[in-house]
Amino acid sequence: MPRIAVPARDDAPAESRPILDNVSKTLGFLPNHYRLMSISPNALGGWAGLMGSTSKTLDLKTREGMALAVSEANGCDYCLAAHGYVSTKLAKIPSEEIALNRQGQSSDPKRQAAVAFAKALIDTRGKVSDAQFASVKHAGWTDANIVEMIALTAQFVLTNFMNNAIQTPIDFPEVAPAAVAA
C-alpha cells in the first residue's frame, strides 16, 4: 500500500501532463512512479530535465547498467523492475548481463568501469577512492563522462528514495527483490 495515493493521469496537475504523456508514448503505458511524481510539477519537471539531459550522454546500455547497480545497492525493488524492463525491452540487454549489472559488474570492460563506479558512489556515499576514480579514467571515460556518471547516479538515487519512501506499487514485471546488505 503506497503511503501517498498515486493519481490517475487525468488527476495530475496540468503542468505535469505533458511529461506524463511523453512517458506514456515512450513506454506504451504510464508507470506509477511518474504518476506519483506528477503530484509535484516542480519535482517531476526537475527530474525530467536532468533525465533528458543525461539521456544524451552515455549510451543506453551503460546508463541502464548503472541504474541496475544503484537500484540494487539502494534496495529499490520498484526501480529494479522498471530498469529490468527498460534494459530488456529497449536496451536489449541479455538477462545474464542484467544480473551482472545488479552486482555492480559488466561483461564489457569499459561498461564495467562505469557500473562499478556507480555502485562505488553509493557504497562510499560519493567518497570513492583514488583507485576507483582512476579505474574509470583508465577504462577510457572522459572527465565529462565521469561528471555525467555522478549526475546519473544522483538521478537514480532520487527515484530509489522516492519509491522506497512512498512504497510505490510495482507496475512492471517483477524481478527478484534486491539483496542489499543490512
Side-chain angles (χ1 to χ4, degrees), residues 141-155:
W141 296 104
T142 67
D143 290 346
N145 293 148
I146 293 169
V147 169
E148 293 158 357
M149 288 175 196
I150 296 166
L152 278 165
T153 300
Q155 172 190 318

Side-chain angles (χ1 to χ4, degrees), residues 17 35 44 54 61 63 66 91 104 110 113 115 122:
R17 291 181 191 165
R35 292 189 295 123
L44 180 64
T54 55
K61 288 182 180 183
R63 291 192 317 268
M66 291 173 59
K110 189 170 184 180
V115 172
I122 299 304

Side-chain angles (χ1 to χ4, degrees), residues 38-122:
S38 75
I39 293 168
S40 170
N42 292 330
L44 180 64
W47 172 83
L50 179 58
M51 184 180 157
S53 294
T54 55
S55 71
K56 299 171 188 153
T57 59
L58 308 174
D59 66 277
L60 180 60
K61 288 182 180 183
T62 299
R63 291 192 317 268
E64 287 304 312
M66 291 173 59
L68 289 162
V70 170
S71 297
E72 181 75 28
N74 284 324
C76 185
D77 294 334
Y78 185 94
C79 293
L80 285 170
H83 288 288
Y85 177 85
V86 171
S87 292
T88 301
K89 299 293 184 190
L90 301 179
K92 307 294 185 202
I93 299 174
S95 59
E96 300 81 19
E97 182 70 9
I98 290 172
L100 284 172
N101 292 165
R102 287 182 62 169
Q103 297 171 29
Q105 302 172 16
S106 176
S107 61
D108 176 90
K110 189 170 184 180
R111 191 169 295 122
Q112 163 65 31
V115 172
F117 186 68
K119 184 176 183 323
L121 285 167
I122 299 304

